[in-house]
Amino acid sequence: MEYIKHHAMINEMFYTIGSAMISTMNLFVKPDDHLILFNSFGGKKYDDSPKAIYEFMKNDSRFAEYRLVWAFHEPEKHPEVIDKIKTDNFNYFLTALKARVWITNSSIQRGLHFCGKHTYRFNSWHGTPMKQMGRDKKNTENAPRYRANSDDVMLAQSKYEIEKMSEARQIPRERFKMFGLPRNDELLGVTKEKVRMIRNMLEIPDCKKVILYAPTFREYMLDDLSQCTLSVPIDFQSWHEILGDQFIVLFRAHYEVAKHTELPKDGNWLDVSTYPHLNELMMAADILVSDYSSIFFDYSITEKPMFHFAYDYDEYNRKRGLYFDIRKELSGACVSDELARLIATMDFENEVAKCKAFRDKYVEAYGTATQQSVEWIAKQLNL
């Protein structure tokens, strides 16, 4: 799928022929009014807002007679889910066509265009956009053409998000529900015991200050297999000297990145790129460092310091495109050593105030998104 996604001509052929085949198949499929299909990031994970909605539904008696099915690329890696199927085969597309509801944070359609006869499409999406998306996105010459979104509902955290998403993804504004993101509900009211439990699992001593470094991917940086790579200009030894042993850095590469910077083999840097729950990393962290990732919007709910490391801002903005300049919103630096010194000497109260101002500007709805989402879906099903 990665090769198809990054090559325009092949993508167009796949889209046209595949969509026609699935639509023809749909003529002979009988809908199942008690089937709900979930996926997260197309089938890569069991997490994010679809997981929050799923776990709420499992304990909601109104959905007791519904079959709640998850689709994964590798179902065997998700023993926590009983009813699951594999993506990208005949059974997957058959199940998608039968389903009464799709619940996703990206897409159920796997790069094609189809929908079941009675399917209600509920999309939480996976973050407020800082980088340009959809038809706003700056594409390379070989990039596939953009196709408009066709979901029945798209969630949002703010009016800013609705404005950007409606234009970029060509979604009528009335389809947006400003509930917030269900995945973020648990970021409120986190107890000290919960934080201690997570840090214990990560083997982080209580005396350490935790920095979560979570950069986004550069889709224009590809290897020979058309997979995204990442190499960040951090002088690890210098960071150690400036920050000392009181800090530990959790490095979280974006899920799109197959290969990334090799971290030093010491106790001050920990690669948590495969850790299953990003929210737990945000809970465990005292400080966030990122670049152009939507994690800033989510983390702002925690009211903890955030810093930008926008070392390639001009290149990223030129090749990918951004809606605003994060350097004007938060403290940060474009050089590794400067960032480390800024963190080491920060005015904590001032940085928390900047975090709250960022949240107030870009995240208007949060805290009850899961319940509101389930209530809305139940209403559509007349439950």
Side-chain angles (χ1 to χ4, degrees), residues 80-327:
E80 65 272 41
V81 179
I82 297 174
D83 202 341
K84 55 196 172 185
I85 59 174
K86 183 174 175 55
T87 56
D88 302 336
N89 58 26
F90 177 83
N91 184 52
Y92 171 77
F93 291 107
L94 178 62
T95 303
L97 292 173
K98 286 182 177 181
R100 179 66 180 88
V101 182
W102 291 347
I103 298 176
T104 182
N105 68 349
S106 52
S107 174
I108 293 284
Q109 295 167 307
R110 306 297 294 135
L112 303 177
H113 179 72
F114 66 89
C115 185
K117 297 183 183 76
H118 300 152
T119 303
Y120 188 76
R121 298 156 295 183
F122 189 95
N123 198 327
S124 68
W125 200 238
H126 49 271
T128 300
M130 182 189 308
K131 47 197 172 189
Q132 292 177 355
M133 61 189 307
R135 63 178 184 175
D136 292 341
K137 183 178 170 182
K138 295 176 181 177
N139 289 316
T140 61
E141 183 177 340
N142 197 34
R145 67 182 175 88
Y146 173 70
R147 300 180 180 97
N149 180 279
S150 56
D151 292 305
D152 295 299
V153 162
M154 181 71 74
L155 296 189
Q157 300 189 96
S158 64
K159 291 187 283 293
Y160 159 83
E161 186 172 350
I162 294 173
E163 176 189 349
K164 299 303 181 187
M165 291 275 284
S166 63
E167 293 294 326
R169 296 183 62 80
Q170 298 177 265
I171 307 170
R173 289 180 179 241
E174 60 269 19
R175 293 188 186 180
F176 284 90
K177 300 298 173 187
M178 201 164 74
F179 297 161
L181 297 184
R183 73 181 186 198
N184 288 341
D185 290 349
E186 65 177 351
L187 293 178
L188 291 176
V190 180
T191 64
K192 291 181 179 179
E193 289 73 20
K194 175 72 172 179
V195 173
R196 188 176 298 113
M197 181 192 73
I198 298 167
R199 291 192 179 193
N200 285 341
M201 286 192 295
L202 294 169
E203 299 182 354
I204 300 173
D206 290 340
C207 60
K208 295 274 191 179
K209 289 290 186 182
V210 179
I211 301 170
L212 174 60
Y213 176 40
T216 192
F217 67 109
R218 277 77 173 151
E219 55 202 314
Y220 48 83
M221 295 176 63
L222 302 174
D223 62 15
D224 294 339
L225 299 176
S226 296
Q227 294 180 318
C228 291
T229 63
L230 178 67
S231 179
V232 294
I234 288 180
D235 184 332
F236 299 109
Q237 181 60 35
S238 180
W239 268 49
H240 192 176
E241 292 172 358
I242 295 169
L243 294 171
D245 288 329
Q246 69 187 60
F247 284 92
I248 184 169
V249 181
L250 305 180
F251 176 73
R252 174 77 170 198
H254 192 280
Y255 71 90
E256 288 280 4
V257 177
K259 299 177 184 178
H260 57 69
T261 301
E262 186 174 342
L263 302 181
K265 293 178 172 58
D266 63 42
N268 292 308
W269 284 80
L270 181 62
D271 190 347
V272 292
S273 299
T274 59
Y275 190 82
H277 306 301
L278 178 56
N279 276 6
E280 291 186 357
L281 299 179
M282 288 193 276
M283 293 175 193
D286 299 296
I287 299 163
L288 172 69
V289 174
S290 189
D291 42 27
Y292 324 110
S293 171
S294 63
I295 194 174
F296 279 127
F297 301 95
D298 306 327
Y299 194 81
S300 70
I301 295 171
T302 70
E303 299 185 355
K304 294 183 286 189
M306 308 191 298
F307 295 87
H308 74 77
F309 185 33
Y311 59 86
D312 59 347
Y313 180 87
D314 291 335
E315 178 186 23
Y316 193 92
N317 192 32
R318 183 177 69 254
K319 293 182 177 179
R320 179 61 171 80
L322 293 161
Y323 287 120
F324 63 86
D325 189 342
I326 189 64
R327 299 173 300 179

